[in-house]
Amino acid sequence: MLSRRFTLGWLYVASVTILAGCVGSQQASSTAPSISSEVITGRAESTGSGLPADTALPFDWITADYSQVSLDMRRGLRALIKPCMNAAGFDYEVGLAQEVPEFSLYRRYRYRTPEEAEELGFVVEQPPSGPEGTEAEFPSDPAERTRYLIALQGAEDLTTTVPLVDRRGDSFGSQSMPGGCSAEAIVQLYGSFDNYVTYVGDDLWLQQVAAEAATKSRADPAFVEMISEWSACMASAGYSFATPEDAIGAPWPEPRPGDTERQAARADAVCRDEASFIATIVEVEGEYQRQALDAQSAALQEMRLDRDALRAEARKAYETES
């Protein structure tokens, strides 16, 4: 009888990263999208993520698409593990039936219209969830549990690690190395375990590149001036906050949202609009992202093509098993 849950360390990495590139046997589809036009023109095209077209950024294929790509990759890997585990005599379901909520200006900037803010205050929205199935269940009987884990990952405890290095040779720590059905599934999807490790390393680098652009934009004079204008606007409405994050994180009284919080949230939304909050971030952060694209265009294009090809394979595996 399956009762407890087990978290695979190596699979956790796969679930929380986009897994943005792969080398070796995987071939990029000739129809996969290219980022070259974004590098040349500087204006990002919408990724279909749910963001308004005029707020799209060049790195949306890394950031706005992050959750959906991660889910697709994990679904594919678990779909490939399932028949192997079933053949070994164990129940193993793919799970992960939940859908990723549409990306939005709220998810990116905690931005609401004045009307939405007056109704909802600063309360953080929780995305809808479904039957997640994100952890593999395993038998409660010790002997059966050991047999299950050996089938799933080759050992009861994973002790073997390999360096986590991206395709450029940069190190990002280490990666656990599973065996069993998990190893077979990795080879099926990625071509080899080395490809998988490179894929994870590439993703960590992509997140680093996007984060560096965001950090630089927050120190840009245009961004600093916009935040100053927002703070002055809030002060004129009777509130003392240096940044929108300070307003969101203030200790608003329970139950939330109360009248005081809703009024402050509406003032925040109005002041963001008056200070051109969204437009400034799109312009400033977009410029730093374009600079990063210009500096790393070949590597980024290769990673995106590889990611899209692998994502298509993962979705095919999941749809077949479903």
Side-chain angles (χ1 to χ4, degrees), residues 64-137:
D65 291 353
Y66 183 98
S67 297
Q68 186 59 59
V69 174
S70 178
L71 178 61
D72 288 342
M73 297 305 299
R74 196 172 188 194
R75 280 173 168 173
L77 200 59
R78 287 178 65 107
L80 294 171
I81 291 173
K82 183 179 186 297
C84 177
M85 290 296 289
N86 293 163
F90 295 103
D91 292 332
Y92 184 92
E93 297 301 326
V94 176
L96 301 174
Q98 83 279 16
E99 297 297 333
V100 173
E102 188 174 61
F103 207 77
S104 65
L105 292 178
Y106 177 78
R107 287 186 62 193
R108 169 165 280 172
Y109 303 120
R110 290 291 183 260
Y111 172 84
R112 286 177 171 141
T113 66
E115 294 74 23
E116 292 169 338
E118 189 169 14
E119 176 186 358
L120 302 170
F122 292 114
V123 176
V124 176
E125 293 178 5
Q126 297 298 327
S129 61
E132 296 185 4
T134 54
E135 310 301 343
E137 295 183 342

Side-chain angles (χ1 to χ4, degrees), residues 37 40 182 243:
S37 62
I40 294 171
S182 300
T243 69

Side-chain angles (χ1 to χ4, degrees), residues 213-230 275-277 279-281 283-285 287-288 291:
T215 298
K216 290 177 180 178
S217 71
R218 299 316 185 255
D220 188 273
F223 180 89
V224 173
E225 181 181 357
M226 179 271 291
I227 292 297
S228 179
E229 291 178 4
W230 173 90
S276 300
F277 179 86
T280 301
I281 293 180
E283 180 62 30
V284 174
E285 188 167 355
E287 178 57 31
Y288 285 108
Q291 291 176 14

Side-chain angles (χ1 to χ4, degrees), residues 111-237:
Y111 172 84
R112 286 177 171 141
T113 66
E115 294 74 23
E116 292 169 338
E118 189 169 14
E119 176 186 358
L120 302 170
F122 292 114
V123 176
V124 176
E125 293 178 5
Q126 297 298 327
S129 61
E132 296 185 4
T134 54
E135 310 301 343
E137 295 183 342
F138 64 105
S140 57
D141 176 75
E144 192 69 2
R145 178 178 61 207
T146 296
R147 195 170 75 84
Y148 179 93
L149 294 177
I150 290 174
L152 180 63
Q153 59 179 25
E156 189 166 10
D157 296 306
L158 295 180
T159 58
T160 301
T161 61
V162 296
L164 189 56
V165 180
D166 67 16
R167 74 181 68 198
R168 300 166 308 113
D170 286 358
S171 177
F172 288 90
S174 62
Q175 170 70 49
S176 297
M177 187 172 183
C181 294
S182 300
E184 292 182 20
I186 287 174
V187 172
Q188 283 182 268
L189 183 57
Y190 296 92
S192 71
F193 188 76
D194 286 344
N195 289 352
Y196 168 73
V197 170
T198 299
Y199 196 47
V200 176
D202 284 348
D203 172 62
L204 295 175
W205 178 67
L206 286 172
Q207 302 309 316
Q208 178 178 294
V209 170
E212 287 173 353
T215 298
K216 290 177 180 178
S217 71
R218 299 316 185 255
D220 188 273
F223 180 89
V224 173
E225 181 181 357
M226 179 271 291
I227 292 297
S228 179
E229 291 178 4
W230 173 90
S231 183
C233 176
M234 289 292 284
S236 68

Side-chain angles (χ1 to χ4, degrees), residues 12-73:
Y12 175 75
V13 172
S15 72
V16 299
T17 58
I18 288 180
L19 305 176
C22 175
V23 296
S25 63
Q26 300 294 334
Q27 298 296 318
S29 167
S30 60
T31 60
S34 168
I35 65 171
S36 58
S37 62
E38 297 172 2
V39 177
I40 294 171
T41 67
R43 170 56 64 185
E45 297 179 0
S46 174
T47 62
S49 61
L51 290 169
D54 62 352
T55 66
L57 292 172
F59 279 170
D60 280 352
W61 66 275
I62 300 174
T63 55
D65 291 353
Y66 183 98
S67 297
Q68 186 59 59
V69 174
S70 178
L71 178 61
D72 288 342
M73 297 305 299

